[in-house]
Amino acid sequence: MRALRIGLVILVVLAGLFVAADRIAVNLAEDEVAKKLKSELGSASSGDPEVSIEGFPFLTQVAGKELDKVTAEVKGVTAKAGGREVRLSEVSMEATDVALSNNFSSAVADHATGTVHLSYKDLSNAADEGVRVSYGGKSKSGKDQVKVSASVTIPLIGKTVERSVYSTVSVKGGDTVRLHADEVPGSDIPGIEKTIREKIDFDRTIDKLPEGLKLDKVDADKDGVNLSMEGTGVHLAG
């Protein structure tokens, strides 16, 4: 019995050492991934990425060259949207079954989801000059609305007026955000609707999305617009 107890103690100690080594290894790996992500983003990111590699044990995942789950979050990412620079307040992603190859320089996730948050200031900066995007409150059906305001010169009379409309935000093509006014006041006046829509309706394609990850839906709230994204065979690196 004494020998059995000694053996059990040794196993517990060894298991504890393995767990400690495993946690140290995963912490180092998370730091390295965060550094690489920061390096790839360069000046496009104002914040330090937060990376978490989940699943236990980590060392056996590395040996098998497949990670169970990787999550990452970056704040203040600058992307190109329709030729304009736009700040993405927050980008987060969760990737599962991440296959590693090419001496760990390449990583492809079997499935990934994520979100992109844009403040109304971000959206205003992505719009044309003089266009302001803000929260429009609740519609009669209880849905959050986006309000778009701009100064527009009315054709024929050449008069400049301030116009505000409620717009629907949607995504198209997997990488583009679209704002489209539900209706335009004074649309019965010839040429006015076309003039206003040319100013306030716009599409903005966002770059820096990983290959395989596509925007699939959007919703608005008082803090801004939240874009959801999802994809399979998502290239995270390499």
Side-chain angles (χ1 to χ4, degrees):
M1 289 295 293
R2 178 179 173 78
L4 178 59
R5 285 197 296 272
I6 292 173
L8 288 173
V9 169
I10 291 173
L11 285 175
V12 170
V13 171
L14 289 176
L17 290 174
F18 176 78
V19 171
D22 192 81
R23 294 301 89 189
I24 291 171
V26 75
N27 289 337
L28 290 173
E30 288 170 347
D31 288 344
E32 285 303 310
V33 173
K35 287 178 183 177
K36 183 172 182 180
L37 183 56
K38 178 71 173 178
S39 175
E40 288 184 354
L41 290 172
S43 60
S45 172
S46 60
D48 292 326
E50 295 182 8
V51 176
S52 176
I53 301 174
E54 301 180 24
F56 180 82
F58 169 69
L59 293 173
T60 57
Q61 294 183 65
V62 174
K65 294 187 176 181
E66 184 169 306
L67 304 178
D68 293 344
K69 182 190 293 185
V70 179
T71 61
E73 183 178 297
V74 189
K75 297 182 184 295
V77 177
T78 301
K80 292 287 187 181
R84 291 176 175 270
E85 284 193 349
V86 57
R87 182 179 180 275
L88 312 178
S89 302
E90 184 176 309
V91 180
S92 62
M93 184 177 64
E94 179 181 290
T96 55
D97 299 326
V98 181
L100 307 173
S101 60
N102 297 330
N103 199 26
F104 301 103
S105 64
S106 176
V108 179
D110 181 64
H111 181 256
T113 58
T115 59
V116 177
H117 177 75
L118 295 93
S119 70
Y120 290 113
K121 181 179 179 181
D122 298 335
L123 279 172
S124 296
N125 290 337
D128 289 339
E129 293 294 331
V131 176
R132 299 172 305 285
V133 185
S134 60
Y135 180 57
K138 299 282 188 179
S139 66
K140 292 181 179 179
S141 63
K143 186 177 180 181
D144 290 291
Q145 301 177 108
V146 171
K147 182 179 179 182
V148 182
S149 305
S151 296
V152 181
T153 301
I154 299 176
L156 301 179
I157 64 174
K159 183 179 179 181
T160 299
V161 296
E162 181 77 10
R163 283 289 183 268
S164 293
V165 299
Y166 293 108
S167 293
T168 296
V169 188
S170 60
V171 295
K172 71 166 191 173
D175 62 356
T176 300
V177 181
R178 165 174 284 182
L179 266 75
H180 183 79
D182 299 333
E183 58 180 281
V184 176
S187 56
D188 54 328
I189 302 174
I192 191 170
E193 179 170 1
K194 180 176 181 294
T195 300
I196 293 176
R197 286 195 179 279
E198 285 176 349
K199 187 77 172 179
I200 61 176
D201 286 352
F202 61 88
D203 292 359
R204 292 293 182 264
T205 299
I206 299 176
D207 70 354
K208 295 193 179 300
L209 293 178
E211 181 184 345
L213 200 59
K214 297 184 181 299
L215 302 175
D216 62 356
K217 62 180 181 178
V218 58
D219 63 85
D221 59 29
K222 60 184 179 60
D223 296 318
V225 168
N226 302 296
L227 305 168
S228 298
M229 49 190 178
E230 186 172 8
T232 56
V234 179
H235 290 251
L236 305 178

